[in-house]
Amino acid sequence: MTKEEIKAILAENKKLRTEVTALQQQVVQLTNQLQAAMMRIAELEQRNKKPPPFVKRNRTPRSEPGKPRKKRAAKHNRSRKREEATRIERHALANCPDCDYRLRGESIEYTRQVIEVPPPPPVEVIEHQVVKRWCPHCEGWRRPKLDLSGQVMGQGRIGVRIASLVAYLRTTLRLPVRQVQAYLETLHNLRLSVGEIVELTHAARRQLQSKADGLKAEIQASKVVHGDETGWRENGQNGYIWAFVTDGPEAVRYFERDQSRGHQVAKRILGDDFHGHLVTDFYAAYNLILCQHQRCWAHLLRDLHELKETHAGTVEVVTWVKGVRNLYDDAQSWLKEHPEATPQERQAEYEDLLTRTGALGRQYALSYEHPCCTLAKRIMRHQDELFQFVLVPNLPADNNLAERSLRPLVVIRKISGGSRSDEGTKTRLTLASLFSTWAARDQNPFLQCLTALRHPPATAPP
């Protein structure tokens, strides 16, 4: 080995020794950092033993027995409901795909249902030809009398099925006239003008008016009626829609517009012979209706909550609000605990609630500067009308039914601003009364309208 080779080996050895020393120092430094990190981790674990929220909890191993699985109810423990097939398409092989031998025998391997709608059919244009024939005996031409009642309305050219569809789209689905126009043209290749669509709804309303009048008579004969009102502009003039509705299998929704919001409107609609229970809010116009009243607790509780939020720092206000709220909660709890209560028991509970209500009302009714004065006076004024639902079985304690019934018309008003004519208002509210009533009775509004137009009254109202 030459001197140059020995010199190179010694230089390389020296370099490697230097690198080893540096690596050893780095290992010592990293070891110290690791020990410091482990100590910090242990310290943090002792401080907070709960894992951070992003850490998932350990799953129970499958080998360990867990809690028995909760079984579903029998009505839910079944496969998807299959519809009755309207058409069957068979899929079968005639020959074996491997050896091309002719297959024999058969059995259904499985079935799969696909639900689809058929292509929308174009409208039918039916031409009725009235043929006249010569009678040699009478020496005159004779022709049959064409009676299309039940097929068209009056002398119009549009059938009652299209008229029912237009009324349904306008009333239940709340489509604008131009979208109804686009729907008919796109799906059924039928082009109707805006005016013709509007006139169709007017004609349907005139033929269905007698049924709407029947709803008004049912309201007047009902034992429990919910009433409410909302604004409705007609041709830029302010007015109000009055809603009177009932619940149950023979539910009724009746709407009528009047320029006045006075009590005489409600009195005219309900009639002089109305002796049922009227469920309303605290609007003063209902005070003059001579019948039994149940005032809406939802409105009162909302005002109580607002009072409590406004004066949250005043202890006596919060205490008084809780006391009034407890009256309602106690009444509802008593009804749940006594579902078969006798009239005498109901009367006793009613009188107890009436006594407690009077005590709370008198507490601030004459303190005109007190925050609770307004609601205290309201309670005193209507104390005998707050707990009629305790006396009468199944009488609601709120007026939510009337407010929910008015909601579709309120949405229409916010979009369109109202109607432009008396005719438009009558059509809108008459159709809304009928279609809402049919829907409340779990009936198909379109089919009910079609049936009513196919069987018009003997003399349709003008």
Side-chain angles (χ1 to χ4, degrees):
M1 180 179 296
T2 63
K3 292 183 178 180
E4 289 77 8
E5 292 176 345
I6 294 174
K7 188 176 181 180
I9 292 173
L10 291 175
E12 183 179 2
N13 187 17
K14 183 179 180 180
K15 181 180 178 182
L16 291 175
R17 286 177 179 275
T18 303
E19 292 180 355
V20 168
T21 302
L23 290 174
Q24 288 176 347
Q25 293 176 353
Q26 187 176 3
V27 168
V28 172
Q29 183 180 3
L30 293 176
T31 303
N32 293 334
Q33 292 179 355
L34 178 61
Q35 290 178 353
M38 294 295 293
M39 293 176 62
R40 179 60 177 169
I41 292 173
E43 179 184 352
L44 294 176
E45 287 179 348
Q46 291 295 329
R47 184 181 303 176
N48 185 10
K49 295 185 178 181
K50 294 184 179 179
F54 59 85
V55 177
K56 296 183 178 179
R57 59 181 301 180
N58 294 331
R59 298 182 62 182
T60 304
R62 294 183 180 274
S63 58
E64 297 181 7
K67 295 182 179 180
R69 179 183 174 185
K70 184 179 179 181
K71 294 185 179 180
R72 295 182 295 179
K75 61 180 181 180
H76 301 303
N77 195 20
R78 61 184 66 180
S79 60
R80 179 185 300 168
K81 180 182 179 181
R82 290 185 174 271
E83 306 291 339
E84 183 178 355
T86 57
R87 189 180 74 195
I88 296 178
E89 293 187 3
R90 292 168 51 86
H91 304 272
L93 296 174
N95 299 85
C96 177
D98 296 331
C99 64
D100 200 34
Y101 197 84
R102 185 173 181 81
L103 300 176
R104 299 177 181 176
E106 68 176 45
S107 64
I108 297 178
E109 176 70 14
Y110 69 93
T111 63
R112 176 181 173 181
Q113 287 191 344
V114 176
I115 300 177
E116 185 58 281
V117 295
V123 295
E124 288 184 318
V125 181
I126 306 171
E127 182 177 274
H128 295 269
Q129 297 181 346
V130 180
V131 179
K132 66 177 182 178
R133 291 182 173 178
W134 176 261
C135 177
H137 183 268
C138 299
E139 296 184 353
W141 293 94
R142 298 291 182 263
R143 64 175 182 272
K145 183 178 180 181
L146 183 62
D147 183 12
L148 296 181
S149 59
Q151 299 183 46
V152 295
M153 294 179 293
Q155 300 298 318
R157 69 184 183 116
I158 304 300
V160 294
R161 185 178 291 275
I162 296 178
S164 300
L165 178 60
V166 169
Y168 176 75
L169 295 174
R170 284 286 290 150
T171 305
T172 301
L173 301 187
R174 304 198 292 269
L175 293 183
V177 175
R178 294 194 181 277
Q179 291 196 14
V180 174
Q181 184 185 45
Y183 169 85
L184 295 175
E185 185 174 8
T186 302
L187 269 68
H188 303 290
N189 198 25
L190 173 63
R191 175 69 181 180
L192 295 180
S193 66
V194 171
E196 192 166 9
I197 292 175
V198 173
E199 182 55 34
L200 266 179
T201 59
H202 293 334
R205 186 265 303 171
R206 287 190 287 268
Q207 191 156 313
L208 297 173
Q209 187 63 53
S210 60
K211 287 190 172 293
D213 296 338
L215 297 180
K216 184 176 180 179
E218 291 184 41
I219 287 289
Q220 295 173 350
S222 299
K223 294 182 178 180
V224 178
V225 176
H226 295 251
D228 200 6
E229 72 289 329
T230 189
W232 185 271
R233 289 171 65 85
E234 180 184 295
N235 196 24
Q237 301 298 315
N238 292 329
Y240 302 91
I241 292 178
W242 291 79
F244 292 96
V245 303
T246 64
D247 202 4
E250 296 299 321
V252 177
R253 308 286 187 265
Y254 182 78
F255 309 105
E256 187 174 320
R257 182 191 181 274
D258 198 284
Q259 288 186 340
S260 173
R261 202 186 176 198
H263 75 281
Q264 67 276 4
V265 182
K267 188 174 181 180
R268 172 178 55 81
I269 295 175
L270 293 173
D272 296 331
D273 297 331
F274 178 74
H275 299 294
H277 278 79
L278 182 60
V279 185
T280 64
D281 54 20
F282 295 89
Y283 178 46
Y286 299 111
N287 297 347
L288 301 178
I289 306 299
L290 301 179
C291 64
Q292 295 292 331
H293 291 264
Q294 170 61 53
R295 300 295 175 166
C296 178
W297 268 95
H299 286 78
L300 181 58
L301 294 177
R302 190 182 307 130
D303 293 338
L304 288 169
H305 179 74
E306 183 178 351
L307 177 64
K308 184 181 70 173
E309 292 295 315
T310 305
H311 302 277
T314 308
V315 178
E316 58 183 6
V317 173
V318 175
T319 303
W320 186 82
V321 169
K322 289 183 178 179
V324 179
R325 175 58 193 252
N326 289 337
L327 290 175
Y328 174 74
D329 293 338
D330 292 347
Q332 293 289 4
S333 300
W334 187 87
L335 289 176
K336 291 181 180 179
E337 295 171 0
H338 303 81
E340 303 296 333
T342 63
Q344 293 77 14
E345 293 174 336
R346 289 178 176 271
Q347 182 66 33
E349 179 65 18
Y350 171 78
E351 292 177 357
D352 177 64
L353 292 169
L354 204 63
T355 302
R356 294 168 57 190
T357 303
L360 283 171
R362 287 189 296 271
Q363 189 172 353
Y364 297 111
L366 298 179
S367 303
Y368 300 110
E369 302 299 328
H370 198 276
C372 299
C373 177
T374 301
L375 292 183
K377 289 194 296 184
R378 181 190 300 180
I379 289 175
M380 291 298 297
R381 186 183 303 115
H382 303 285
Q383 60 177 331
D384 58 333
E385 300 172 349
L386 293 176
F387 297 102
Q388 290 293 317
F389 70 94
V390 175
L391 287 176
V392 182
N394 301 322
L395 180 65
D398 56 66
N399 197 31
N400 293 339
L401 180 62
E403 294 196 348
R404 288 195 300 266
S405 301
L406 269 176
R407 180 55 51 186
L409 290 172
V410 172
V411 173
I412 293 173
R413 182 197 66 200
K414 290 184 177 181
I415 295 174
S416 64
S419 52
R420 299 180 61 183
S421 65
D422 179 64
E423 186 82 359
T425 301
K426 288 181 180 179
T427 297
R428 173 69 75 180
L429 299 186
T430 299
L431 295 182
S433 299
L434 292 169
F435 279 76
S436 300
T437 298
W438 290 327
R441 295 177 179 179
D442 293 329
Q443 298 173 337
N444 188 311
F446 169 74
L447 295 180
Q448 291 297 319
C449 180
L450 178 60
T451 302
L453 293 180
R454 280 179 172 173
H455 302 85
T459 55

